[in-house]
Structures are given as C-alpha cells and as structure tokens.
Amino acid sequence: MTAGPGRVQHALRAMRAGLSPEPALRLSTGGLLLMATAGKDPLRADDLTGAARAQLHILRDRGIIGNAGTPTEAAAPAVRAMAAPNVRLTADIGVATGRATWSAWLGAERAVVAVRTDPAGDDLAVFIVPPGWAPVMAVRWLGVGPRPQPPAGGAVALPADLLRQRLAERATPPPPEAARELRTLWSSPLRLWGVRAEPGHFGMLILDAGRAGYWQLTDAPADGSGAGEQERVTLTPLTARDVWRRVVHSAVSADVYRRKHAGAASGRRG
C-alpha cells in the first residue's frame, strides 16, 4: 500500500524540519573554547574575564552549560564531539579579505559546526546538528549547485603560478595555446575553495568557475624534464553531483580510516 502525495509531502517536511539546524549560537572563538573545555573542568564565572563571562551567559541561556558549569545532559554529546571528534571536517573559501572558514567536529551522536564568514572578525555562527548533516551544511555553505553550462571536454593542465596570478587578477591572459575549455573557464569569475577531513588527509580543492562549472585542482605529474621544471596543475571538470558526493565521501572515508586504525591499535594492545 503506497502513501498518497499529501502524506509523502508531509513526511518530507517533517524530515527537513528534523534535519534543519536550530538558530545559530553567536559565539566568539573564546566562547567556542569555553564550550569545549566545559567537558573537562566545570566553568566558574568568578574565574573568567568579563568577555568570557558574557560568552558563558550565552551558553547557559541556550541550555549548553548548566548552573554547575558543566554541559547539560542534552548538550553533552556535542561537547564530547568537540573534545574528541570522530572526524574533523573543515572548508575554506578564498575571498578578497583572506579566507572565510567553516569547521565541524563530528561525534558519535552530534556534530558542532562553526562558521566564520569575516576573516578579520572573531564572531562565529555555531550549530549543533546530527553528524550526518554536517557535510550537507558544508556543501550548502560552499554554494554548490547546478550550473547552466556543465563543464565540457576533458582535463586541462597549466602552470600553477599562472593560475595563482589569474585568481589574484582577473585581467591575467590565458596561456597562448589554451584549449577552448580553458579559455571559457578563464573568462569566468573564479573562486577557489577546499575541503579537508581528518584523520587520513582526505579532501579536495575545487575551482568554481560559475557558468563554466566546477573543476577539481590536482598536481600535474612531472614530465621528467628534471631540475627547474615549472610546477603545473591539472583541472578536471566535475558536475555538481560529483562535488556533493566527494565532499560527503571525504567525511565518510575519514571515519572509516579512524575505525580501521583504532581497531589495529586495539589489536596491538591485546
């Protein structure tokens, strides 16, 4: 027996409501550190500076820290995730003023996500979410979505210095021998971002070229010409779906790596 369209839509809305994070905590870096350390030692307002006491008030007001200065029962899984994460997931985007950063600590039950949108600021938007939701939040924050013109053609290689120069200055001309795909990419607004997952050093660098699509950035293999060879990089086209999958796969791979090495260490101790 199949559910009618109305019941399906109701179920989908309920799922989205359950996965959507609550409104962000607005914390400083110091406030985030207080949240992490509360799992080890109770926080005493008398021992804190005025700025730290203000952060403690926010944590108490949101039900993260109780009156005893320790995590509440509801917040304990999130604090444990920060103290000893199963996976550490980070992303950053190059912007004119530096780098906008996104960080997550994934635990067994909850994950803590902290977003800094102003590289020069100290303000963080902090969310507590199910661990499986953290990679989805990373992809959304990075702005990954369909492109009107998916990338066509194969991978292209070019000097790394030339790409760095183009990222800094849009007027930089492409290489004289550039293929059509590279010229199309070159004329588009470019944004470079990266994702990393630990343990295990998983992740990727992506060049977002707007209507020219997504391109994964990797080191080009050396051609064997010897000393003085110019560093080159390879740009490989990806669809938005490919990017989504690879971000999620990075987090999953890091957790598999952790489990494997934890099991190996346990076996050696036995």
Side-chain angles (χ1 to χ4, degrees):
M1 181 175 178
T2 58
R7 292 181 61 186
V8 171
Q9 291 303 316
H10 176 76
L12 288 173
R13 285 194 294 270
M15 288 174 62
R16 293 189 186 105
L19 289 174
S20 296
E22 297 180 2
L25 279 164
R26 308 303 301 196
L27 295 174
S28 67
T29 304
L32 191 65
L33 181 60
L34 280 179
M35 180 176 166
T37 57
K40 300 177 181 178
D41 298 299
L43 300 175
R44 291 169 43 88
D46 292 345
D47 297 335
L48 303 177
T49 65
R53 282 196 295 272
Q55 295 293 301
L56 177 58
H57 177 76
I58 295 172
L59 292 169
R60 282 178 170 170
D61 187 59
R62 283 291 293 270
I64 306 298
I65 303 299
N67 292 332
T70 56
T72 62
E73 183 178 356
V79 174
R80 287 196 296 268
M82 294 195 69
N86 290 343
V87 172
R88 184 80 166 86
L89 187 64
T90 58
D92 56 60
I93 302 173
V95 296
T97 54
R99 286 192 177 275
T101 60
W102 182 101
S103 301
W105 297 259
L106 281 64
E109 302 171 62
R110 306 299 282 174
V112 177
V113 174
V115 185
R116 185 195 308 277
T117 55
D118 181 359
D122 192 44
D123 187 51
L124 299 170
V126 179
F127 304 88
I128 297 175
V129 298
W133 193 237
V136 178
M137 291 183 70
V139 172
R140 287 185 170 182
W141 180 75
L142 291 165
V144 178
R147 291 291 186 254
Q149 293 179 314
V156 295
L158 70 158
D161 285 344
L162 184 61
L163 178 59
R164 284 191 282 265
Q165 185 178 345
R166 167 61 184 82
L167 288 167
E169 177 52 62
R170 187 167 180 172
T172 302
E177 72 285 0
R180 179 179 59 84
E181 291 82 10
L182 182 57
R183 290 187 178 277
T184 300
L185 179 153
W186 211 260
S187 63
S188 305
L190 301 182
R191 187 176 67 156
L192 184 66
W193 55 259
V195 170
R196 294 177 299 280
E198 297 291 347
H201 309 294
F202 298 96
M204 59 183 177
L205 274 176
I206 293 291
L207 188 66
D208 184 345
R211 294 178 65 86
Y214 298 102
W215 301 75
Q216 184 169 0
L217 182 68
T218 55
D219 294 333
D223 62 8
S225 59
E229 181 181 353
Q230 188 177 26
E231 179 189 3
R232 294 177 68 81
V233 293
T234 297
L235 297 172
T236 304
L238 299 176
T239 65
R241 179 175 294 183
D242 290 334
V243 176
W244 269 78
R245 287 175 174 170
R246 294 188 187 203
V247 172
V248 173
H249 187 261
S250 294
V252 172
S253 297
D255 193 42
V256 170
Y257 181 94
R258 175 191 64 83
R259 292 171 184 270
K260 177 181 178 181
H261 285 262
S266 177
R268 287 195 298 270
R269 286 195 298 270

